[in-house]
Amino acid sequence: MFTLVRRRVRTAALALSAVAALAFGGTAATAATGAAAAPAPAKQGPTSVAYVEVNNNSMRNVGKYTLANGGGNVFDVAVVFAANINYDTGTKAAYLHFNENVQRVLDNAATEIRPLQQKGIKVVLSVLGNHEGAGFANFPSQQAASAFAKQLSDTVAKYGLDGIDFDDEYADYGNNGTGQPNDSSFVHLVTALRENMPDKIISLYNIGPAASRLSYGGVDISSKFDYAWNPYYGTWQVPRVALPKSKLSPAAVEIGRTSQSTAADLARRTVSEGYGVYLTYNLDGADRSADVSAFTRELYGSDAVYTP
């Protein structure tokens, strides 16, 4: 049976204390220590994406899977799930918030992020609503959207990340006296973010009010995304975003919950219909090579190998 409702744990649940609005000063990304490792051999086939719930699991798990044939990385993009967009009722402004687990990953980039990047895996930060009324779709002005975009791009620069992922869930628009979604907000936000980081990844988890508001004032931001994917695990749904097939993932699976047969069917369809991305969620620390092999055999013609 398809999983039509997301089973994600709200990121803020484990936060022990509120985090004040970020004040970045252009700090350079933390340099990797030691000699850089050689990237894994290149592979042919779709881009594979792995979301990791860092409240419970390590980002390092993404780098533990390689292809039996050729040794390439199974996963090409690792997503830190998730930072939050919070709301300061005093200043009446949105701000970027990290719970203790996300902050731990960022503070320990040398061990949680750099090893993946040294293997050639891109690491992006997902940003999610937090029931406070602030969301990507209700910035009241272009200035407010641009200010939040700067917080995002400063975070990418400070911690040496490869981009930002937008996930418009759990905003609870209207809480704390915030506005309802408007047509200009997300367009202004993504436009400013792309200007701030022209060479970084911007991806869209295709859900929520923001995902249906991609055009305003003659500006369509679809082409500003590197990827867009289906948000419903165990299903096939082509994102309604004007991107080439190579940038879209109609397939979405939850590792360990989506059956191996469904994962294989979705992977087979990804290849046969010419799509270029395959989305997975909730990679944990167990040996999931059987679940992962179910889709790598179809995507890349190879089993997956797990190396602890």
Side-chain angles (χ1 to χ4, degrees):
M1 185 173 180
F2 287 162
T3 303
L4 293 175
V5 178
R6 300 186 63 199
R7 303 177 185 273
R8 295 187 171 193
V9 176
R10 181 167 62 92
T11 302
L14 296 183
L16 298 180
S17 60
V19 177
L22 299 176
F24 296 106
T27 305
T30 303
T33 58
K43 68 183 183 188
Q44 299 295 318
T47 295
S48 289
V49 181
Y51 276 81
V52 177
E53 286 265 16
V54 298
N55 283 341
N56 306 308
N57 299 296
S58 170
M59 293 301 298
R60 295 190 298 272
N61 295 327
V62 181
K64 295 179 179 179
Y65 292 87
T66 55
L67 297 175
N69 298 339
N73 297 316
V74 166
F75 298 106
D76 305 286
V77 179
V79 184
V80 180
F81 188 79
N84 295 106
I85 177 171
N86 279 12
Y87 188 70
D88 187 322
T89 56
T91 62
K92 299 188 184 304
Y95 67 95
L96 188 59
H97 168 89
F98 308 135
N99 77 5
E100 61 174 355
N101 296 299
V102 173
Q103 189 67 65
R104 171 184 48 77
V105 170
L106 298 176
D107 288 343
N108 292 282
T111 56
E112 289 284 320
I113 295 172
R114 292 308 164 254
L116 300 180
Q117 293 172 325
Q118 290 168 0
K119 291 175 181 285
I121 299 169
K122 302 293 187 182
V123 180
V124 306
L125 177 67
S126 186
V127 186
L128 179 73
N130 201 15
H131 305 279
E132 296 190 1
F136 313 129
N138 70 342
F139 286 104
S141 67
Q142 184 173 4
Q143 181 181 15
S146 295
F148 189 72
K150 188 173 189 305
Q151 291 188 49
L152 295 175
S153 57
D154 283 350
T155 296
V156 168
K158 179 176 181 177
Y159 296 106
L161 300 169
D162 295 298
I164 292 292
D165 175 65
F166 287 111
D167 184 346
D168 190 15
E169 298 180 276
Y170 313 121
D172 290 358
Y173 290 103
N175 278 2
N176 291 313
T178 58
Q180 291 300 311
N182 63 68
D183 291 339
S184 64
S185 175
F186 196 44
V187 172
H188 289 322
L189 176 61
V190 174
T191 298
L193 183 61
R194 178 51 78 200
E195 290 175 353
N196 292 351
M197 42 181 236
D199 300 320
K200 298 291 186 176
I201 292 170
I202 303 177
S203 57
L204 177 64
Y205 195 91
N206 191 43
I207 198 169
S212 64
R213 291 168 167 84
L214 303 182
S215 179
Y216 175 77
V219 176
D220 189 315
I221 57 172
S222 298
S223 63
K224 299 183 187 298
F225 295 105
D226 293 278
Y227 304 110
W229 29 68
N230 170 17
Y232 300 107
Y233 303 116
T235 75
W236 176 273
Q237 184 180 104
V238 180
R240 293 183 178 179
V241 182
L243 286 170
K245 283 185 172 184
S246 61
K247 303 294 184 71
L248 297 176
S249 180
V253 302
E254 182 172 354
I255 295 174
R257 297 188 73 101
T258 301
S259 71
Q260 292 178 18
S261 61
T262 297
D265 288 343
L266 292 172
R268 192 177 305 115
R269 188 170 179 183
T270 297
V271 173
S272 67
E273 296 191 22
Y275 287 93
V277 189
Y278 189 86
L279 177 68
T280 75
Y281 166 69
N282 208 23
L283 183 68
D284 60 20
D287 179 355
R288 298 292 182 181
S289 55
D291 294 305
V292 175
S293 292
F295 61 80
T296 61
R297 281 193 289 268
E298 303 298 333
L299 297 177
Y300 312 117
S302 174
D303 283 338
V305 175
Y306 172 77
T307 304

